[in-house]
Amino acid sequence: MGRVRGLHGLRGVVRVEVLTDRPEERFAAGSVLMLEGGPRRLTVASASPVADGPGWWLSFREVKGRASAESLRDAFLEIEVDRATDLGPDEAYWHEVIGSRVRGRDGRVLGTVADVYRAGEAEVYVVRGGPPGEFDVPAVRGIVIEFAPRGGEIVVDEAVLDLAGPPVDGLPPGERKPHRWSRHGKGRPTPQADGVEPRDGGEGGP
């Protein structure tokens, strides 16, 4: 659902990077979140969006002060969900998108989705392992022609991506600039071509 990015004040409030498209629901007071990879559970006491930047302020009933909150720094926050009821028929988690083959219109394999991150309101798929080298695919109509992660495949319009051109950031393949926010998790779904939309994926999945 999110990742703890910083602390605020002395009462244990933390600043959380939002990795869900439903923060109002996921971070509602009384919701129980878990730390990635462990049994520790945290009950949301209060939550509000950060007024002057990205993220939300969260406090937990189990975290009484700044010293206790310090142990949460950089931790991923998860929630248990039932995939059958949490997703619609045309939705998928980000971790289901990762590993999908990416093909061009002509059927040529361009690589596989190695990661997903959010840039503004759009999801972006990081594709590696194919002839073009590493490249990004914005998850928007006009680029994504077919989106079927449950079938393990995404079809893109490689002509629009201009894969034969130089890297946009001027770096050779394999030397990508790091993203400001983590790419582990989920974000707001963006309009897709016919098929499945990514939703609330990654570590918070079933």
Side-chain angles (χ1 to χ4, degrees), residues 4 25 47 51 55 66-67 70 76 95 107 117 145 157 171 191 200:
V4 178
E25 174 185 342
R66 187 179 182 90
E70 187 67 42
F76 286 99
H95 69 265
Y117 68 93
I145 307 304
D157 189 337
L171 296 177
D200 264 345

Side-chain angles (χ1 to χ4, degrees), residues 171-191:
L171 296 177
E175 296 186 25
R176 297 173 48 80
K177 294 179 179 178
H179 297 283
R180 180 184 178 199
W181 293 114
S182 165
R183 290 174 284 168
H184 295 78
K186 63 293 283 183
R188 185 181 305 278
T190 52

Side-chain angles (χ1 to χ4, degrees), residues 4 6-15 40 42 45 58-73:
V4 178
L7 311 181
H8 179 67
L10 300 176
R11 298 186 178 181
V13 176
V14 297
R15 182 170 183 152
R40 187 178 179 185
L42 300 170
L58 297 185
S59 66
F60 303 103
R61 296 176 188 172
E62 298 82 358
V63 179
K64 303 301 184 182
R66 187 179 182 90
S68 179
E70 187 67 42
S71 66
L72 304 179
R73 191 185 293 274

Side-chain angles (χ1 to χ4, degrees), residues 10-168:
L10 300 176
R11 298 186 178 181
V13 176
V14 297
R15 182 170 183 152
V16 174
E17 171 193 350
V18 177
L19 299 174
T20 173
D21 60 316
R22 289 179 280 179
E24 296 85 358
E25 174 185 342
R26 301 304 196 192
F27 299 149
S31 297
V32 178
L33 308 181
M34 298 173 295
L35 293 184
E36 178 189 21
R40 187 178 179 185
R41 293 173 176 264
L42 300 170
T43 306
V44 178
S46 65
S48 61
V50 176
D52 59 349
W56 277 55
W57 299 120
L58 297 185
S59 66
F60 303 103
R61 296 176 188 172
E62 298 82 358
V63 179
K64 303 301 184 182
R66 187 179 182 90
S68 179
E70 187 67 42
S71 66
L72 304 179
R73 191 185 293 274
D74 293 326
F76 286 99
L77 302 173
E78 303 176 340
I79 192 170
E80 291 182 341
V81 296
D82 182 347
R83 190 190 195 289
T85 59
D86 197 60
L87 294 182
D90 294 327
E91 296 172 341
Y93 292 113
W94 280 16
H95 69 265
E96 296 176 312
V97 178
I98 293 174
S100 297
R101 291 184 306 275
V102 178
R103 296 182 182 273
R105 282 181 176 271
D106 61 0
R108 181 171 66 112
V109 176
L110 303 175
T112 59
V113 178
D115 210 342
V116 182
Y117 68 93
R118 184 173 58 193
E121 294 299 310
E123 273 71 47
V124 181
Y125 310 138
V126 179
V127 181
R128 298 177 185 145
E134 181 176 320
F135 62 96
D136 288 352
V137 176
V140 297
R141 287 189 175 94
I143 295 179
V144 178
I145 307 304
E146 182 179 345
F147 188 70
R150 295 178 192 175
E153 188 163 281
I154 298 173
V155 179
V156 302
D157 189 337
E158 65 271 38
V160 175
L161 292 171
D162 189 24
L163 298 181
V168 174

Side-chain angles (χ1 to χ4, degrees), residues 194-205:
D194 295 340
V196 184
E197 291 183 341
R199 282 281 300 279
D200 264 345
E203 290 75 16

